[in-house]
Amino acid sequence: MPRITVTVDGVTYEEEVEPRLLLVHLLRDRLGKTGTPVGCDTSNCGACTVMLDGRSAKSCSVLAVQADGSDVVTIEGLAQGDEWHPMQKAFHTEHALQCGYCTPGMIMAAIDLLRDDPDPSEEAVREGLEGNLCRCTGYCNIVRAVRRAAQEMSQAGERREVRTP
């Protein structure tokens, strides 16, 4: 079996993995990062989105061996101690969830969206998150949350990248 080294939320792991093991299963089953849900296992829903080397990626469509040498940030790795990432705060403030299943992936995809477009319009947010499905909310509060986070990050002069501890 291949041996990989991957840094997840600032901690480096060395693991022997089957070549067919998906990154989402490595994260959840081996490393205990259960905040990354398994949604559809087909990359259609985006619930399993994580940051892979600074960009959002659907972890059900990445083999663990493909992540060898990479830096992965999960929803658990966003907060710095007790301080939530601005996107997490905005999702909470705007009530941008109902069941919460899609929320980790939405937050990760939204952070990547702001990396490329720090002041997105409502239409740009909807387009930027189209690969992440929510079956509960109708997206209104999600769009508001992303725009709030963009505004607050801009006012704070913050171009906050996802960082690891």
Side-chain angles (χ1 to χ4, degrees):
M1 279 198 289
R3 185 166 202 70
I4 65 167
T5 302
V6 63
T7 301
V8 179
D9 298 337
V11 178
T12 301
Y13 299 90
E14 285 190 25
E15 295 284 327
E16 279 190 13
V17 297
E18 290 186 35
R20 64 183 179 176
L21 182 69
L22 295 173
L23 179 58
V24 68
H25 296 298
L26 173 70
L27 294 171
R28 290 181 58 78
D29 302 338
R30 296 260 194 97
L31 305 182
K33 300 294 182 173
T34 56
T36 301
V38 176
C40 62
D41 258 342
T42 62
S43 77
N44 286 319
C45 75
C48 67
T49 302
V50 297
M51 292 295 182
L52 179 62
D53 293 328
R55 297 307 304 231
S56 63
K58 295 176 181 179
S59 60
C60 76
S61 65
V62 176
L63 296 171
V65 294
Q66 291 175 297
D68 187 24
S70 292
D71 182 45
V72 177
V73 179
T74 69
I75 193 75
E76 290 101 333
L78 283 183
Q80 299 296 307
D82 291 339
E83 182 189 345
W84 284 358
H85 185 281
M87 190 64 70
Q88 291 172 303
K89 290 178 191 175
F91 265 65
H92 176 75
T93 301
E94 293 295 335
H95 308 286
L97 62 115
Q98 283 183 5
C99 81
Y101 202 81
C102 71
T103 305
M106 284 285 185
I107 287 173
M108 301 308 267
I111 290 168
D112 198 23
L113 170 66
L114 293 188
R115 176 182 172 175
D116 294 334
D117 183 356
D119 186 23
S121 65
E122 179 178 334
E123 182 180 321
V125 172
R126 289 180 181 279
E127 186 176 308
L129 297 180
E130 69 184 0
N132 291 71
L133 302 178
C134 177
R135 292 175 175 92
C136 301
T137 67
Y139 300 93
C140 293
N141 290 356
I142 292 170
V143 172
R144 260 197 308 275
V146 174
R147 296 196 66 213
R148 172 187 282 267
Q151 182 179 34
E152 290 177 2
M153 290 166 68
S154 175
Q155 286 175 351
E158 196 172 347
R159 185 92 182 158
R160 185 162 173 184
E161 301 290 327
V162 174
R163 35 182 195 167
T164 54

